[in-house]
Amino acid sequence: MSLNVNILLCLFLCGEVPGIQSFEQVPWLPCQLVDESVTFNDEGHAETEYQHRDAGLQFGHPGDSALNPNTITFLVTGSKVDMRKYIEGVVEHQLQCEIRRYSTEGPQMRWPGLGAQEHDIWFTCTIRHTDGVFIITSFLRHTPATPTPGQAHYLNWAAIADRAALTTSTVMLVLTRSPSVRVGLVKQQSLHCQFDVDHKAADLTVEWRFQRRGERTTLFSHSSRSGQTEGSGVPLNAIGRGNASLTLPLTKQSSEGTYVCHVSVPPLFGSQDITLQIMEPPRVSLNVDSTVSLVDRGEQKVVCEAEGYYPLDVEMEWFREPSGGGGGLLPEKLDTVLYSSHRHHQDGTYSLSAFFLLHASLHDSGSKYFCRVSHSSQRMPIRKSFTLNITEYDSWNAALWLFSGFGFILVMLATLFVMLPRLSSARKANQVWMMEETVERGTLGCTRRPASAIVRPWLMTWSIIVARCLRAPRHGVFVLLGLFPLFHHHAPLLLLLLFLFLEQAVALVHLLGQVPPCSEIVLVLHGQALYIHVWQHSQSWTAPVR
């Protein structure tokens, strides 16, 4: 009930008072006092009990009456440090205020600022933006009317009444405008840290520490008293202006962790924790165009690729929207999707593929398929889609391929029957050289060497095919019987097979072009190798046909 009263009071004072233009003119802010009570149990161990109490920050002058007498009031009087000037462009309901007691521990030290006493009591006031825009921690100093020795120690804290009013002043603050940072790989990043103190020439120490997986590393340290500086990333001239921001080297996967900015002016120690997360969004692509055209009963493998993302967690799904989906039909999630394993790259990022086999059907024509990729680096999922167009199966085209295949086989068989008698007669003539079979014999003309005078290349080509089929019957049967299915489904593969036979014929023609005139030529087959033997007068030479 009292919290609602505080909110209404704040809305009235901050929003209805004429002339209020900025937060520096706000007179009152609702807060929560987290009070602590420390006791010792029977075993001598300290136990701390926390109590949340309604309180408020009231900005004014000493002696001002409490604007809300039903809560604990911390009257913040004027000083050189005003926390309100660091709060810009916000409204009150976007702020969370929390006040805690602060113990200096150890020997009592007098704050070097104006008006401080050795028996002062300390509080911290932390104001957070609800959207994580900034965090400000201020140190409030209160001088009690009746000082009690040792009451600044947490074991001797004096009780605070429910409607008490404590006059305080802000002596130091530490703030950050980057409490949580998300950055990609190989990026330059600055971590904001700022401070303010109510007196000059303070005994100041600034440190930056990095925490990752239980390990702590000091990145930067500077002491104004000794003048010693260790590490880098914070300009010393900026520290003199109250700016302790740290500039990181180019980010990498190991840059992820918690960075702590410490600012100390004895006996006060303030800090701000900044969490840095490496976030690299995925690059999503499909292996097909925006429109996929298939024949009825055809198949197509469709792959959705997500590349270069970090961290590892990613969700990939395939959906299908029926054609004419304006009737309120929800997309259908495909349950036949397969996934690759995560691939880890050298830069620390990952890749993943989601794919399925698309079976074309006429009733799916016009349907839209889309891949949806969700990742923590993106507020909204990434979508890549294509539209499916199906055409009816052409039976006439299939029949044309069928007749063409049969015709090709008939031509091959006819050629084979024409060549078999010639090979048979060659064997009977026993034209053998070094126990080899003569495939073809011829003589080049003595006056000229036109292409027509060369031993008939087409005849020798078919001779090679027939001879190889006879030498390797299984291979020959495969060639003859497999011609039709190869021609019907894999015409390029059949052409490649024929090219392998014709290749030796072309090589043979090339060799014949180098044979002198008036030469006798014998083409012999030795196993699976083909040779050409040339005689001219008393000289002869042999060369393989490659």
Side-chain angles (χ1 to χ4, degrees), residues 422-423 426 431 437-441 460 463-464 467 522-525 530:
R422 187 176 183 84
L423 262 183
Q431 296 174 345
E437 293 186 23
T438 301
V439 177
E440 188 64 40
R441 178 184 295 273
M460 287 185 293
S463 299
I464 296 169
V522 175
L523 186 65
V524 296
L525 185 66
L530 191 64

Side-chain angles (χ1 to χ4, degrees), residues 342-386:
H342 286 279
R343 299 179 294 277
H344 195 194
H345 305 293
Q346 292 183 350
D347 61 356
T349 61
Y350 298 90
S351 297
L352 182 67
S353 301
F355 53 92
F356 69 98
L357 188 61
L358 178 60
H359 298 277
S361 179
L362 286 176
H363 73 272
D364 289 331
S365 184
S367 297
K368 184 176 182 180
Y369 292 79
F370 65 89
C371 174
R372 186 176 70 183
V373 179
S374 302
H375 191 255
S376 55
S377 62
Q378 301 287 332
R379 292 186 177 181
M380 298 293 294
I382 303 175
R383 289 179 43 153
K384 294 289 183 179
S385 62
F386 69 89

